[in-house]
Amino acid sequence: MAEIRLYNTATRTQEALTPLQPGNVRMYVCGPTVYDRAHLGNARPVVVFDVLFRLLRQAYGADHVTYVRNFTDVDDKINAAALARKEAGVPAPLTDLIRERSDETIGWYHADMDALGALRPTKAPRATDYIAQMIALIDDLITRGHAYVAEGHVLFSVESDSAYGSLSGRSVDDMIAGARVEVAPYKRNPMDFVLWKPSSDDLPGWDSPWGRGRPGWHIECSAMARDLLGESFDIHGGGIDLTFPHHENEIAQSRCAHPDGEYAKIWMHNEMLQVEGKKMSKSLGNFFTVRDLLDQNIPGEVIRFVLLSTHYRKPMDWTEKKVADAVRTLDRWSEVFAACPDLLDEAPVALSGDAEVVTALSSDLNTAGALAALHGMIKRIDQIAVDDAGRTAELRVFLASVSLLGIDLASYAKRFLAGERFLSAEARLDDTEDWVRIKLRTLLEARAEARAAKDYARADFLRDAIISAGIVVKDTADGFDFELTDQYDPAKLEALTP
RNA sequence: GGCGAGUUGGCGGAGUGGUUACGCAGCGGAUUGCAAAUCCGUGCACAUGAGUUCGAUUCUCAUACUCGCCUCCA
């Protein structure tokens, strides 16, 4: 087994993973705030850390990896969504609507991430189930002099933590100088952040020593990680935008409350996702959800493939070309199994996967390198005779290697071999009007007749005409097929005469 | 203003102190009535300047440009 090396944001270097408890790895990843469908950006960390989860399970054993990913179900946006429903006339108490909204969103989230082939984490706690632990943690921080009560709020005192700012590499003074937040007058230091805040009567709230209220954003992760993983654990992950303030504040809370623990040892952050070269952001409104893509008939395996084709620490640009390339690659990989479809129905074998693939993944999750290694494998396999037993053995290793990336090639290939095509000509034609299909069919059949009569001049003339409308004509063993290209233009097709 | 990341061939995208990434596109060949698809083979690169070194795309510094975070955000 190759040594697993991971880039640690906290030290800004790559480090070998050595579990604090030998043979038992503990990982916490910040999960979604469940107010709406997961957008594509939400999917990136899920897929990235799922690959890590799979790698760790293989290296240490499935029962020796604990992966916790939370659901944040205390949030203004959830409240707003519930409030909007109430105002729309839904006759139910607001708290019920809030709970309903969270439940519904969590269900969506699981379904969408399942479609991307992500394994469920070992534990998926909800913040609202850990209010008591949060209150205890806050109480502890007050006792230890790291937090104070002011006007119904409990605030963390950043000046009480000499290490504050170490993860994100900034000093408290720098932060104050560049702060663009309005500073509440009751804060002792402008950077002090909320641990607990009062709740109005019409919003969710819990009784606490400081009155009815609700927790601040950061405390939930500290409380759940403490409860489920302990004071020290191995890996903490999330999007790079969480580095500050979320993770910085988590560290501060946890280390100050548990001075003997070091909280997370390795901090991993995935870079952001862009769409066609532009930042994907809610405020710009150019984002789309995972469900949108699935509904466009883009298979989950394809989405996952694209997400893994760029290293997790680099910004990734989501483009239609990448989707098309991924479809193409998965189609090719599927075709290799045409001669041995039974392999696809075999139960997953306990193979460790190709050494090159494992080495790439072990080197700070080099998923792009792993995909390159898979390309090499398939090339080698292609050169082995179809009836050679060695080919079957190699294909099993190939499948095991692909599944280490969480790409369910067996499922994809079975659908492909059964004739399913994604982004196919037929699928695209389905969106067009009847006359297009009739016209195209007329032209294609006219050409087939010309070919049958060996009137190649006419056949080629017709094919050139169809090509000029952006449609590629293919002759197959049992007839013909066609494919729409980027130049496909219905207007040109309409102008053609047989 | 503060913090951080990046700049690789036509495009996407890894990696390395001296040697092939890989994929797509291109080109040549096999195949085909001719094509398409497929298979085989193949050319093309490391932002700029300086330094360290026997040798740098790879290390150091500077410059330019791009991007992200500092505010809910993965």
Side-chain angles (χ1 to χ4, degrees), chain A residues 430-446:
Chain A
D430 280 347
D431 295 334
T432 64
E433 296 166 44
D434 284 345
W435 70 262
V436 173
R437 283 194 291 277
I438 295 166
K439 177 103 188 187
L440 184 57
R441 189 147 297 279
T442 307
L443 288 165
L444 288 166
E445 282 172 359

Side-chain angles (χ1 to χ4, degrees), chain A residues 82 92-101 201-205 212:
Chain A
L94 189 59
T95 46
D96 286 1
L97 290 173
I98 287 168
R99 186 74 189 185
E100 210 172 87
R101 179 65 178 184
D201 291 341
D202 56 334
L203 287 175
R212 183 172 179 278

Side-chain angles (χ1 to χ4, degrees), chain A residues 307-356:
Chain A
L307 290 175
L308 294 179
S309 63
T310 297
H311 185 86
Y312 78 93
R313 281 195 292 112
K314 288 211 171 157
M316 117 137 291
D317 194 15
W318 176 273
T319 64
E320 283 193 23
K321 183 176 187 301
K322 285 182 184 172
V323 173
D325 283 354
V327 168
R328 201 182 164 77
T329 300
L330 289 172
D331 284 355
R332 281 190 181 174
W333 288 359
S334 297
E335 262 174 77
V336 174
F337 291 90
C340 49
D342 292 349
L343 273 179
L344 300 172
D345 286 316
E346 285 183 1
V349 275
L351 289 169
S352 55
D354 179 68
E356 266 187 67

Side-chain angles (χ1 to χ4, degrees), chain A residues 405-418:
Chain A
L405 286 166
I407 298 171
D408 193 347
L409 182 62
S411 168
Y412 186 96
K414 274 192 274 189
R415 285 178 277 144
F416 176 86
L417 294 176

Side-chain angles (χ1 to χ4, degrees), chain A residues 152-221:
Chain A
H153 294 70
V154 183
L155 294 146
F156 183 89
S157 168
V158 295
E159 283 167 14
S160 75
D161 177 16
S162 59
Y164 189 75
S166 61
L167 176 70
S168 51
R170 24 190 128 189
S171 69
V172 171
D173 290 345
D174 286 344
M175 286 185 267
I176 293 169
R180 303 194 307 223
V181 256
E182 271 186 52
V183 179
Y186 47 80
K187 287 188 180 179
R188 288 182 192 166
N189 183 296
M191 297 315 295
D192 287 352
F193 57 91
V194 170
L195 298 171
W196 189 265
K197 59 185 166 186
S199 214
S200 57
D201 291 341
D202 56 334
L203 287 175
W206 291 264
D207 290 328
S208 80
W210 320 286
R212 183 172 179 278
R214 52 202 167 111
W217 173 35
H218 317 293
I219 195 72
E220 57 172 274
C221 289

